[in-house]
Amino acid sequence: LSSIRTNLLDVFDFKFNERILELDAKSGLFSAYLSDRAKSVAAVTIDCQDFKINEVRNAGKSNIDIIFAGDDDAFVKDTLKDMDPFDTVFIAGAGDALYKALFNDESDDVRECLIKILEWTRGFLKEDARLILALNNRLGLQYFAGKTDASSPKLFSSISGETDGADEYSFSINALGDILNAAGFNEHKLFFPVPDYRYPSAVFSEDYMPGPG
């Protein structure tokens, strides 16, 4: 619930007439942040408790629609189709839990789940819309410093790729590019939150990298 999490989005410009789709909105911290910077936010949640927390947290905000997905892809799709197309879609995380909830599919292939979610999302976006996707960097500095990856308790497993067959929630730049291309998002710009996207103290980009001092 730390407000430091919203540092992740401070590097992006949002327009006051912008319509934003937030997938797997969880307890609504980003929903609140985005609603202060855009015309409207449609926040899709997959957990009943998160849905209730989001409702309470953002009860005073008239420009947020909080949608409980449950296990009904058709309901979410119909709800979003009734709305005007979105300018931006924001996803924090690999999207596998969202995929399983929406499509009632227990697939363990995180990569394929993410591709399918991104493909599904395109049906609700404007032609020139953008995707903001936050994922773990498989070669992030935190893993070199000894932090274990979510897919394995082994040290440096993210770097070596030795996850013993567990789901892989971290992606290299090349792997992420392949996923985005497969889903039809062919133009990419990379940002690098430090130490990670969950609690970023700084966010660098391809145009602004850290230097000496």
Side-chain angles (χ1 to χ4, degrees):
L1 298 178
S2 171
S3 60
I4 196 174
R5 299 192 66 194
T6 59
N7 288 348
L8 178 69
L9 296 178
D10 280 344
V11 297
F12 298 100
D13 291 324
F14 296 97
K15 300 175 182 177
F16 282 105
N17 63 347
E18 195 163 341
R19 295 177 47 76
I20 299 176
L21 171 61
E22 181 188 8
L23 295 179
D24 198 1
K26 297 185 172 63
S27 60
L29 178 67
F30 286 117
S31 308
Y33 175 95
L34 292 168
S35 73
D36 290 337
R37 291 158 176 79
K39 180 179 180 180
S40 64
V41 177
V44 178
T45 64
I46 60 174
D47 179 84
C48 185
Q49 184 173 358
D50 282 342
F51 174 76
K52 293 176 181 177
I53 294 171
N54 200 334
E55 278 196 317
V56 172
R57 179 198 289 272
N58 295 308
K61 293 183 177 292
S62 60
N63 64 335
I64 301 179
D65 290 304
I66 306 169
I67 305 164
F68 178 57
D71 58 357
D72 192 347
D73 163 50
F75 169 74
V76 177
K77 184 180 291 187
D78 290 344
T79 302
L80 295 179
K81 282 291 187 184
D82 286 340
M83 298 179 175
D84 292 333
F86 296 95
D87 301 282
T88 298
V89 56
F90 169 59
I91 308 173
D96 58 310
L98 180 67
Y99 173 81
K100 292 175 182 179
L102 285 176
F103 299 102
N104 197 24
D105 184 340
E106 292 302 317
S107 171
D108 290 326
D109 190 330
V110 177
R111 179 184 182 277
E112 286 303 314
C113 288
L114 182 54
I115 290 173
K116 289 175 181 176
I117 279 291
L118 295 179
E119 289 176 333
W120 177 82
T121 300
R122 288 177 62 83
F124 312 114
L125 302 180
K126 292 182 179 178
E127 195 168 315
D128 59 347
R130 63 178 172 175
L131 163 71
I132 301 175
L133 175 64
L135 294 170
N136 288 328
N137 179 0
R138 189 168 74 82
L139 300 177
L141 291 177
Q142 60 183 347
Y143 299 124
F144 283 95
K147 182 179 179 180
T148 56
D149 182 61
S151 63
S152 173
K154 286 185 176 181
L155 290 174
F156 310 113
S157 63
S158 172
I159 298 168
S160 67
E162 297 175 358
T163 57
D164 297 329
D167 295 351
E168 293 190 39
Y169 292 91
S170 302
F171 301 90
S172 66
I173 291 175
N174 288 339
L176 176 58
D178 290 342
I179 288 170
L180 293 172
N181 289 334
F185 292 92
N186 299 315
E187 295 183 21
H188 323 141
K189 184 173 182 179
L190 294 173
F191 294 83
F192 306 96
V194 178
D196 61 16
Y197 77 84
R198 291 179 177 83
Y199 298 99
S201 58
V203 180
F204 298 97
S205 74
E206 295 173 289
D207 301 324
Y208 182 77
M209 297 296 285

